Amino acid sequence: MKRTLEDEKRPPIAAPDLKKPVFITKAEREKAALQRREEEVKRRALELQQQQEEEDKTKDKTLDHESRHRSSRDRERDRDRDRDRDRDRDRDRDRDHRDRDHRSGPRGEEDPRLSRDREHDRERDRDRGRLEKQAEREREKELEAIKEQYLGTKKPKKRVIKPSEKFRFSFDWENTEDTSRDMNVLYQSPHEARLLFGRGFRAGMDRREQKKLAARNERETREEMRRKDGAPLEERPEEAAARRQREEAADLYDTFDMRVDRHWSDKPLEEMTERDWRIFREDFNISYKGSRLPRPMRNWSESRLPPELLKAVEKVGYKKPSPIQMAAIPLGMQQRDVIGIAETGSGKTAAFVLPMLTYITRLPPMSEDNEAEGPYAVVMAPTRELAQQIEDETVKFAHYLGIKVVSIVGGQSIEEQGFHLRQGCEVVIATPGRLLDCLERRYAVLNQCNYVVLDEADRMIDMGFEPQVVGVLDAMPSSNLKPENEDEELDEKRIYRTTYMFSATMPPAVERLARKYLRNPVVVTIGTAGKTTDLITQHVIMLKESEKMSRLQKMLDDIGEDKTSIVFVNTKRTADNVAKALDKSGYRVTTLHGGKTQEQREISLEGFRSKRFTVLVATDVAGRGIDIPDVAHVINHDMPGNIEMYTHRIGRTGRAGKTGVATTFLTLHDTEVFYDLKQMLVQSNSPVPPELARHEASKFKPGSIPDRPPRRNDTVFAH
């Protein structure tokens, strides 16, 4: 085909681009996105600049129009003034003509043209004033609109006063700060009434106590009379016999006194009334929450424990049960689920160990046929030391029953522990993490475990062991759960799943566990939750951080080398530094914290228990559950971050009915716990340092609104 001239002039058709698509990296995509964003910002800034220029032009036009309008108005005003001047001149000329005509002829009438001009002038003046006012108002509106667009407007908000702030009344000082003495001598030492739990006749006074007091006063009066007369102090035989008869009569109820019922301690179990049980619970500060509660036991003979366990209790040296044992052991004998809340050092371990061993005695002995199904009972504790302490306590009683106990904790060979588990045992005492590892590695199963104890449950949750605890509980069989109906009676011959949970507090996570795994639990509270025992004397010293070491050494010197002390700190580094400084000063000191291996921790605890070391510097690892006998003094070198940990720390002393002393070093960095610490000191009748009582942080709970602004010298510490 022939190409024409027009075809040759026409440009050739470009071949389509057949290149493959190019894939860019994430960094290039981010760079491209940043460039697009910068271009968008520049374009937006240019649009705003153009908009601003247009508005400025509009404003200039408006101002030019106003200026032109104003200049035209001025020219019109000048023109009107010239016209008025010409009119006045014409009026004067006409008046002269009229005067001439009047002098020359008859009087003429007023010219109607002049009256119309005058009326027109007045109307024009009114219109001009109205236009000026309207233009002024429009100009003010325009200025307000410009200000609102470019400067914005702030509408003042009216402050709403709460009723609690409106009707608040604040005191400048508290009643605890009043240290003045009463001017009247009679009221300087007020008398405290001792009611003796309502056993007396008048004002709570017991008649037997009145008789004893009268006999003692009579004896002292006779001795004083003999001393004044110079007579021999020895009594004659007949006087001594009469005195002994009166003292013996004072211990007995006579016919008149029989109107008062005997005390519960003088009654056998079958004669106890509801009033006696109420007095019993008040005596030991026991409170229950639950349904179908059994009676607490008053002594070991009423516990219904097997004879072998009663013999073991007697050999261990437990003369009298503690309040938590009185309340919890009867519940465990009925296979009831229990939540126990008791002060530290109250004997909680025996409260769940004895019912657990009684439960195991009802089961077939462990043999080759059933040892592969796992243990009968599991006890979980948050720390290795507490688990080993529970193991020692359990072995004391299990030894007499032939029950085997195995401890599974971290820091030791898991293969060796798995070997002991496969050999068979009735009781496993473990930390949650290591026990879950053994279950996942198939070293152990819980196919026949229907008894579980969670000791220091709140501490386990705080340490992050909730998933491990849930994993262990889910590995237990669920076929033997108790009925959810509270009114349904339990079959004593059947084996039910029993759960014990001991906790100092009840955070939400612990409540979740209790709701999921406990059936109709009975809550047993001894004393007040989170309160320290009255056997501990608490001292708080305000000082600077740099003064702690010198004050610590002075206190250790005052305590002496024959008594043991625990020094608590908040970090592992501080523990090592304090221990090193004390060791250089010649003190027999050891440390205990999470950075130590299990063997080192056991050596430190054993050396401290045997008094080879007299000072133990520890973190909160030793703050809960660990029972170290005869700790004379607890020193908080660092104040803990919450009052619960403070309670557990000082609970390492004053255990098992013995007295103890706790001293705390407080600085300005501990203001978050000032309020709770002051309240605890006031409740326990311990002295409150003036610096702590005056400090603003001790007057209001953290997070609350203070009643008054702080005074200038409230935070001044006296050193």
Side-chain angles (χ1 to χ4, degrees):
M1 187 176 179
K2 247 183 181 182
R3 288 173 55 90
T4 61
L5 183 62
E6 294 171 351
D7 293 335
E8 292 177 356
K9 292 181 180 179
R10 189 178 297 119
I13 300 174
D17 191 6
L18 300 178
K19 291 182 180 180
K20 295 182 179 180
V22 179
F23 296 96
I24 61 176
T25 63
K26 182 179 180 181
E28 292 174 345
R29 289 199 302 272
E30 293 178 352
K31 184 176 179 181
L34 288 175
Q35 290 177 354
R36 288 196 299 273
R37 178 61 180 166
E38 290 176 357
E39 292 174 358
E40 179 68 20
V41 171
K42 290 180 181 179
R43 185 182 62 78
R44 182 62 180 164
L46 184 61
E47 290 179 357
L48 291 175
Q49 184 178 1
Q50 293 176 355
Q51 184 179 359
Q52 180 68 27
E53 291 176 356
E54 291 177 0
E55 290 176 354
D56 292 341
K57 288 179 182 179
T58 304
K59 190 190 306 181
D60 293 340
K61 288 180 181 179
T62 303
L63 295 176
D64 292 341
H65 179 267
E66 289 182 356
S67 61
R68 288 196 301 271
H69 182 68
R70 192 180 299 109
S71 60
S72 62
R73 195 165 56 243
D74 294 340
R75 286 196 300 273
E76 184 178 355
R77 189 184 301 111
D78 294 338
R79 199 181 305 112
D80 291 340
R81 189 167 53 252
D82 295 340
R83 189 185 301 111
D84 292 341
R85 189 171 55 252
D86 295 339
R87 189 167 53 252
D88 292 339
R89 189 170 53 251
D90 294 339
R91 191 184 301 114
D92 294 338
R93 187 172 57 253
D94 293 339
R95 188 183 302 109
D96 294 338
H97 286 307
R98 282 199 302 274
D99 291 340
R100 277 199 306 272
D101 293 340
H102 178 68
R103 286 193 299 271
S104 60
R107 181 179 179 183
E109 297 180 356
E110 183 181 2
D111 190 358
R113 188 172 52 187
L114 293 177
S115 61
R116 282 198 304 272
D117 291 341
R118 196 178 299 112
E119 185 66 27
H120 179 69
D121 293 340
R122 284 196 297 269
E123 186 176 353
R124 188 169 59 248
D125 292 340
R126 285 195 299 269
D127 294 340
R128 186 165 56 246
R130 188 166 56 253
L131 290 173
E132 288 178 357
K133 290 181 180 179
Q134 185 177 359
E136 187 68 25
R137 284 195 298 269
E138 291 177 355
R139 189 160 54 253
E140 290 178 357
K141 287 182 180 180
E142 185 179 2
L143 290 175
E144 288 295 331
I146 293 172
K147 286 182 181 180
E148 183 176 356
Q149 181 176 358
Y150 291 100
L151 300 180
T153 57
K154 290 185 178 180
K155 297 181 180 180
K157 294 183 179 180
K158 186 177 179 182
R159 182 174 178 269
V160 180
I161 301 176
K162 298 179 180 179
S164 58
E165 296 178 1
K166 187 176 181 182
F167 302 105
R168 177 179 294 159
F169 183 78
S170 62
F171 291 97
D172 288 337
W173 52 271
E174 298 180 355
N175 293 333
T176 56
E177 299 177 5
D178 187 7
T179 58
S180 61
R181 291 175 59 86
D182 201 295
M183 298 300 293
N184 193 333
V185 181
L186 292 175
Y187 300 110
Q188 288 182 3
S189 55
H191 174 71
E192 295 183 1
R194 304 186 181 276
L195 301 181
L196 296 177
F197 302 101
R199 287 189 284 136
F201 281 87
R202 294 187 296 274
M205 300 294 289
D206 190 359
R207 291 186 60 84
R208 287 192 301 180
E209 296 296 327
Q210 295 180 29
K211 290 178 181 180
K212 292 178 184 178
L213 183 60
R216 185 168 63 251
N217 290 339
E218 183 180 357
R219 184 179 68 252
E220 293 174 355
T221 303
R222 288 183 181 277
E223 291 176 356
E224 184 68 24
M225 291 173 62
R226 290 196 194 95
R227 191 177 294 108
K228 288 182 179 180
D229 297 340
L233 297 180
E234 291 79 7
E235 294 180 325
R236 293 194 299 272
E238 58 273 13
E239 291 180 352
R243 178 181 57 79
R244 284 195 298 270
Q245 186 177 1
R246 285 193 298 270
E247 291 178 352
E248 291 174 359
D251 287 333
L252 301 175
Y253 282 110
D254 55 20
T255 306
F256 182 76
D257 292 330
M258 285 303 292
R259 296 187 303 173
V260 178
D261 197 5
R262 289 174 298 166
H263 190 248
W264 61 265
S265 58
D266 299 331
K267 291 183 176 181
L269 183 62
E270 57 272 9
E271 294 184 11
M272 291 284 287
T273 62
E274 188 61 38
R275 177 177 178 273
D276 293 326
W277 286 116
R278 187 177 69 251
I279 295 173
F280 172 82
R281 291 193 297 269
E282 290 175 355
D283 284 350
F284 295 102
N285 210 354
I286 301 173
S287 60
Y288 290 98
K289 183 180 180 183
S291 59
R292 297 186 292 109
L293 301 174
R295 301 294 187 188
M297 66 179 192
R298 302 183 301 172
N299 46 56
W300 290 113
S301 60
E302 300 175 2
S303 61
R304 294 169 51 197
L305 292 172
E308 295 84 359
L309 278 182
L310 290 177
K311 291 179 181 178
V313 168
E314 184 179 357
K315 290 182 179 180
V316 169
Y318 290 175
K319 303 296 182 184
K320 184 179 179 182
S322 66
I324 185 65
Q325 295 165 0
M326 294 177 178
I329 289 178
L331 291 168
M333 300 298 289
Q334 293 186 357
Q335 301 187 59
R336 297 290 299 276
D337 290 354
V338 178
I339 299 176
I341 302 175
E343 62 190 16
T344 180
S346 58
K348 292 183 288 186
T349 306
F352 63 77
V353 166
L354 294 175
M356 178 179 67
L357 296 178
T358 305
Y359 159 80
I360 294 176
T361 57
R362 299 170 51 192
L363 302 176
M366 193 65 65
S367 62
E368 294 181 357
D369 298 332
N370 59 356
E371 64 184 15
E373 298 297 323
Y376 286 142
V378 167
V379 180
M380 284 188 282
T383 62
R384 308 171 192 172
E385 288 77 17
L386 181 55
Q388 291 174 344
Q389 178 180 305
I390 296 172
E391 179 189 13
D392 296 339
E393 187 76 9
T394 307
V395 169
K396 289 180 185 178
F397 304 106
H399 172 71
Y400 298 94
L401 300 174
I403 294 175
K404 187 177 178 182
V405 181
V406 172
S407 174
I408 301 177
V409 296
Q412 297 178 357
S413 172
I414 190 172
E415 290 80 8
E416 183 180 351
Q417 293 173 350
F419 175 74
H420 292 310
L421 286 173
R422 284 194 295 268
Q423 285 184 331
C425 62
E426 286 86 356
V427 180
V428 169
I429 300 172
T431 52
R434 176 53 63 93
L435 180 57
L436 188 61
D437 288 343
C438 291
L439 294 176
E440 291 175 349
R441 297 188 185 190
R442 300 296 188 269
Y443 288 145
V445 293
L446 301 177
N447 293 342
Q448 57 184 1
C449 179
N450 289 307
Y451 203 106
V452 60
V453 178
L454 304 178
D455 196 10
E456 303 286 357
D458 55 344
R459 177 66 171 165
M460 283 194 283
I461 300 303
D462 291 341
M463 295 173 68
F465 289 146
E466 183 180 1
Q468 289 84 350
V469 172
V470 171
V472 173
L473 293 175
D474 289 340
M476 296 174 59
S478 59
S479 58
N480 291 334
L481 291 177
K482 299 184 184 70
E484 295 185 0
N485 186 8
E486 296 183 9
D487 299 330
E488 187 173 344
E489 293 289 340
L490 300 180
D491 186 3
E492 294 185 358
K493 296 181 181 180
R494 183 181 173 186
I495 300 298
Y496 291 101
R497 179 168 167 179
T498 304
T499 306
Y500 262 68
M501 180 182 291
F502 283 95
S503 178
T505 57
M506 292 295 289
V510 178
E511 289 186 3
R512 281 199 305 271
L513 286 177
R515 284 197 301 267
K516 184 175 181 181
Y517 296 103
L518 274 69
R519 294 292 180 89
N520 308 322
V522 178
V523 181
V524 180
T525 305
I526 308 299
T528 304
K531 183 178 179 293
T532 59
T533 176
D534 296 331
L535 300 175
I536 301 175
T537 304
Q538 302 178 56
H539 300 293
V540 176
I541 302 174
M542 308 293 299
L543 41 69
K544 296 179 180 177
E545 191 72 29
S546 58
E547 300 173 349
K548 286 185 176 181
M549 182 53 65
S550 59
R551 183 62 68 93
L552 175 61
Q553 294 181 358
K554 183 178 182 303
M555 292 185 62
L556 293 176
D557 292 337
D558 295 339
I559 294 170
E561 295 185 357
D562 57 334
K563 295 183 179 180
T564 55
S565 304
I566 301 180
V567 180
F568 280 105
V569 295
N570 289 342
T571 61
K572 294 181 283 188
R573 178 179 297 179
T574 307
D576 292 333
N577 294 337
V578 172
K580 188 180 298 183
L582 293 177
D583 186 58
K584 287 182 179 179
S585 301
Y587 297 96
R588 292 181 292 162
V589 61
T590 184
T591 57
L592 180 66
H593 55 70
K596 299 274 187 181
T597 64
Q598 183 62 28
E599 184 179 0
Q600 291 173 333
R601 290 160 76 165
E602 291 177 3
I603 292 174
S604 296
L605 275 177
E606 183 59 31
F608 187 67
R609 285 193 176 105
S610 62
K611 294 191 177 180
R612 188 158 50 91
F613 303 110
T614 57
V615 180
L616 175 65
V617 182
T619 58
D620 287 334
V621 170
R624 297 181 67 153
I626 298 178
D627 186 16
I628 303 174
D630 300 329
V631 176
H633 209 123
V634 168
I635 301 172
N636 284 313
H637 181 274
D638 299 334
M639 178 68 191
N642 55 72
I643 201 64
E644 290 82 11
M645 202 64 243
Y646 169 83
T647 304
H648 289 290
R649 281 185 181 183
I650 68 175
R652 299 308 97 202
T653 184
R655 301 175 70 86
K658 298 179 181 179
T659 59
V661 181
T663 304
T664 302
F665 295 161
L666 209 60
T667 66
L668 279 174
H669 301 290
D670 306 316
T671 53
E672 292 183 357
V673 293
F674 274 14
Y675 177 82
D676 294 330
L677 179 60
K678 178 185 173 184
Q679 299 301 318
M680 177 166 286
L681 292 176
V682 171
Q683 290 174 6
S684 59
N685 296 323
S686 300
V688 181
E691 300 90 347
L692 176 62
R694 288 198 305 264
H695 198 277
E696 192 68 26
S698 68
K699 299 180 185 300
F700 311 103
K701 194 169 184 63
S704 62
I705 302 175
D707 288 342
R708 58 174 177 80
R711 292 175 291 192
R712 186 173 59 183
N713 57 354
D714 268 349
T715 57
V716 176
F717 275 49
H719 296 288

